[in-house]
Amino acid sequence: MRFTTKNEALKATFISELRANGIKFEVKERLGYETFIGYMIDGTLEEIRAQIETLSGEEKEVILRGFQSFKEQLNHALEHLKEGDTFEHLLSEGYWMGDIIDQLMRNSALDIKENKVKLKDGVDVTKLKFQFRFPYDLAKQLDVVEKIAKQFAFIDLVSEWEIEIKELEIEKINRAMQIASKYFPENDVMNVYFALIGKAILANEILKALGNEKIPLNALIEGFLKAFPLEISTEKGIMVINATEKSIYGILRELEKSGYIDIKGNKVKKLRDL
């Protein structure tokens, strides 16, 4: 029922759309990480290419294409840096930009004033030392590759955001997933969708079971535990829903917080329908 992203711009745009559509959500920030494991070649751009040229076969061609991509990213970054740009705007290009800026900084090639970064006048990029990295799985002939490259592991600690949709109404869940489909992979959206739909259906079943009577909280939970798994007919077939005591209690608390039920003295009363 949660989406996770390390992209701050995506997070901000996604929650802005959720808010504009009146969809309830909760955002939690935590420390995450990016990892890269592979090989690294040090040197000027010319020296790195010369090292790769000593390889042979398909392996050489694949690594050369990766090196060409690295050079294109570097040239793109330099176009921004010649005139100067903010860190925020540069990093919005992608995580690769942060690596290139870091490499240029280690070459003392940048001027930094407040939040703006600029390439120093007179810097000859062809003379700078870079680190070209390529994934471990590209190295088929390990003994050959290890003669020209060092094994390398990179861990980047970053902020990541967990966005939880806090809706029980199916119409709003559907709208939230339409929005999410623009920002997240289809498989992630489907997993969250069915989890939310399952919760919404169970919440509706709880309200139906309450009717107009006050029911002891423990009896209500025990009744559903005995009835599980629930089989619900849908347009596409049968949805099977199971839940633990803890998850049922969580749904009851969410219904209470949203004003659908009232829990007092270990008894539950319905106030309104979903």
Side-chain angles (χ1 to χ4, degrees), residues 104 170 179 200 206 221 242:
L104 290 170
I170 291 177
I179 296 168
I206 289 171
I221 294 174
N242 207 354

Side-chain angles (χ1 to χ4, degrees), residues 43-47 107 109 122-130:
T44 64
L45 296 175
E46 186 177 338
E47 290 168 345
N107 275 281
V123 168
D124 184 353
V125 177
T126 65
K127 304 297 183 185
L128 303 181
K129 297 282 187 178
F130 292 98

Side-chain angles (χ1 to χ4, degrees), residues 58-71:
E58 183 181 350
E59 190 169 51
K60 170 184 171 181
E61 295 306 313
V62 173
I63 294 173
L64 270 176
R65 286 200 295 271
F67 179 60
Q68 183 60 35
S69 177
F70 172 74
K71 286 177 63 179

Side-chain angles (χ1 to χ4, degrees), residues 49 52-53 55-70 132-140 145:
R49 185 179 181 91
I52 299 171
E53 290 288 356
L55 299 173
S56 61
E58 183 181 350
E59 190 169 51
K60 170 184 171 181
E61 295 306 313
V62 173
I63 294 173
L64 270 176
R65 286 200 295 271
F67 179 60
Q68 183 60 35
S69 177
F70 172 74
F132 167 60
R133 304 153 188 163
F134 55 92
Y136 184 83
D137 56 6
L138 293 186
K140 307 300 181 186
V145 169

Side-chain angles (χ1 to χ4, degrees), residues 173-188:
I173 290 170
N174 288 336
R175 180 59 188 143
M177 294 306 102
Q178 289 173 1
I179 296 168
S181 65
K182 296 189 288 185
Y183 301 103
F184 297 95
E186 182 181 5
N187 192 55
D188 290 354

Side-chain angles (χ1 to χ4, degrees), residues 23-64:
I23 295 164
K24 291 182 286 187
F25 62 90
E26 182 176 289
V27 181
K28 293 180 181 177
E29 183 177 357
R30 63 191 178 204
L31 192 64
Y33 59 89
E34 294 284 346
T35 61
F36 179 91
I37 300 172
Y39 288 92
M40 175 174 69
I41 304 175
D42 290 296
T44 64
L45 296 175
E46 186 177 338
E47 290 168 345
I48 292 170
R49 185 179 181 91
Q51 289 286 78
I52 299 171
E53 290 288 356
T54 64
L55 299 173
S56 61
E58 183 181 350
E59 190 169 51
K60 170 184 171 181
E61 295 306 313
V62 173
I63 294 173
L64 270 176

